[in-house]
Amino acid sequence: MIIANTVKDVRDVVKEWKRNGLTVGLVPTMGALHEGHASLVTAAAAGCDRVVASVFVNPTQFGEGEDLDSYPRDFERDCGILEERGCHMVFHPSVEEMYPEGYATYVNLESEMTKQLCGKSRPGHFRGVCSVVSKLFNIVDPDRAYFGEKDAQQLAVIKRMVKDMNFDIEIVGCPTVREDDGLAKSSRNSYLNERERAAATVLYRSMERAKAMTKEGVSDASQLLEAMRDVVSSEPLARIDYIEAVDGETLMPKEKLAAGDLVAMAVYIGSTRLIDNFTVGA
C-alpha cells in the first residue's frame, strides 16, 4: 500500500493507473478508523480496480470550541485497517499541504440544506466539508466516492454539490455499521466512559420505537418525534441537540413522512455529541 503525503504524489500514481484503464474509488476519512470506515473501503475495493483513502483531520469543518485538537488520531493503526481491506493508496497530507499560506478559496453550498439538522448548531461545518471534499475530488480524480449513510446530511449535501458542480463522480452511500447493541460505529464513541457507553444506546432504542410506529402506519412526524424524545429524555446522561424528520433529498422539514424520508438526531451523551438516523421504509 502506497502512503502519499503530497498532492503531486497522489496525482502521479492515479494518472498511471488511469493510463492503464483502471477505475479508482475514493474513501475520504478523518482517520480514527472503525468498522464503518472499513466497510466503505471494502465496498470501494469491490466496485473499483484501485482504492484511495484519505486520512486527514480537516480543520475547516470544526467550529470554535469543537474537538479538533482532541480528535482521535492513530495513523499506524488506520493504515493496518486500510491495507487489510484492500486499499491501494493512503493520502495523508499535512494541513499546510491542503491549505498552504494564503489559501482563500472555499466551496459553500448556498442552500437551506446546510442550515438544517447539524447545520443549525455547527455553522460553517458544511462549508469546510464541501471545500475539502471538492479538493479531494480534484486531487484524486476518482470514478466513485464512498460515504457512510450515518452522516446522512453530509451525504445529501455532497450529492447536491456533485450535481451542481458537474463532478463526473458517482457518489455511493453505504449502510451504517452498528455495534451489537445498536450503537452506530463512530470515532467519537472512544470519548465515552463505561456509563456513557451504556447510555448511548438510547439513540438506537428511540429509533427502533419510531420505526415500529411507521410499520404500524404512523406517518405523522410530530407523533414519531415526540415518541423518540420521550425515549431519549428517559436517559439522565442524554441531552437532545435535535431530533427531526426531513425530506431525504432536500433535508427540509416534513409533517407527513413517506418512504425515503429521513429521521435524524444528534444527542449529547455527557459531553460527547453523537448522531444517528434512519430512512423511512428502508
Side-chain angles (χ1 to χ4, degrees):
M1 186 176 67
I2 300 164
I3 298 176
N5 301 116
T6 69
V7 172
K8 182 181 185 304
D9 288 345
V10 174
R11 284 180 167 158
D12 287 348
V13 172
V14 172
K15 283 177 183 176
E16 181 63 25
W17 287 344
K18 295 212 164 188
R19 273 195 291 269
N20 292 321
L22 302 175
T23 57
V24 178
L26 170 65
V27 180
T29 85
M30 293 206 300
L33 303 186
H34 51 68
E35 190 63 28
H37 298 109
S39 72
L40 303 182
V41 179
T42 298
C48 303
D49 299 313
R50 295 290 183 269
V51 179
V52 179
S54 62
V55 175
F56 177 62
V57 182
N58 176 39
T60 67
Q61 68 190 68
F62 287 78
E64 187 176 349
E66 293 188 341
D67 57 342
L68 173 60
D69 292 335
S70 62
Y71 195 84
R73 295 164 170 86
D74 191 341
F75 183 62
E76 187 174 339
R77 178 180 172 276
D78 291 342
C79 285
I81 293 170
L82 292 170
E83 189 163 23
E84 182 182 312
R85 290 304 183 102
C87 182
H88 298 88
M89 178 163 59
V90 182
F91 180 38
H92 184 49
S94 65
V95 173
E96 292 72 25
E97 180 71 12
M98 292 296 279
Y99 302 107
E101 185 177 356
Y103 188 89
T105 303
Y106 294 88
V107 177
N108 192 37
L109 191 66
E110 297 199 358
S111 161
E112 292 299 311
M113 289 180 74
T114 59
K115 300 174 184 176
Q116 311 303 314
L117 307 177
C118 289
K120 291 180 181 178
S121 57
R122 303 186 73 189
H125 171 70
F126 288 107
R127 174 178 180 261
V129 169
C130 288
S131 297
V132 77
V133 170
S134 63
K135 284 174 70 69
L136 291 170
F137 286 172
N138 282 323
I139 293 164
V140 178
D141 189 25
D143 298 283
R144 299 183 183 92
Y146 296 78
F147 296 87
E149 292 175 353
K150 182 176 80 74
D151 295 311
Q153 184 173 15
Q154 173 179 274
L155 179 58
V157 165
I158 288 169
K159 285 181 176 179
R160 181 80 250 179
M161 179 187 76
V162 164
K163 181 178 180 180
D164 290 351
M165 299 297 289
N166 304 111
F167 281 111
D168 187 20
I169 300 170
E170 179 186 353
I171 302 301
V172 182
C174 298
T176 301
V177 177
R178 300 185 178 278
E179 304 282 1
D180 291 341
D181 59 9
L183 180 67
K185 298 268 189 178
S186 171
S187 302
R188 290 186 169 95
N189 290 351
S190 63
Y191 297 159
L192 302 170
N193 63 32
E194 187 176 350
R195 172 71 183 90
E196 291 167 340
R197 174 62 185 79
T201 61
V202 76
L203 280 77
Y204 183 68
R205 287 187 277 118
S206 73
M207 293 195 306
E208 287 297 282
R209 170 96 171 262
K211 284 182 187 178
M213 293 172 67
T214 62
K215 289 176 181 176
E216 293 166 1
V218 177
S219 62
D220 181 74
S222 62
Q223 233 181 305
L224 292 168
L225 300 181
E226 183 179 2
M228 291 178 69
R229 292 188 188 104
D230 285 346
V231 174
V232 175
S233 297
S234 70
E235 170 51 62
L237 293 183
R239 176 170 59 87
I240 296 170
D241 182 356
Y242 68 78
I243 302 178
E244 297 187 23
V246 299
D247 182 281
E249 291 186 6
T250 68
L251 304 182
M252 297 307 293
K254 293 285 295 284
E255 293 183 0
K256 292 289 183 182
L257 296 181
D261 287 336
L262 183 74
V263 178
M265 62 195 308
V267 175
Y268 285 92
I269 302 295
S271 60
T272 302
R273 185 178 183 274
L274 302 177
I275 61 172
D276 210 336
N277 66 79
F278 74 90
T279 299
V280 176

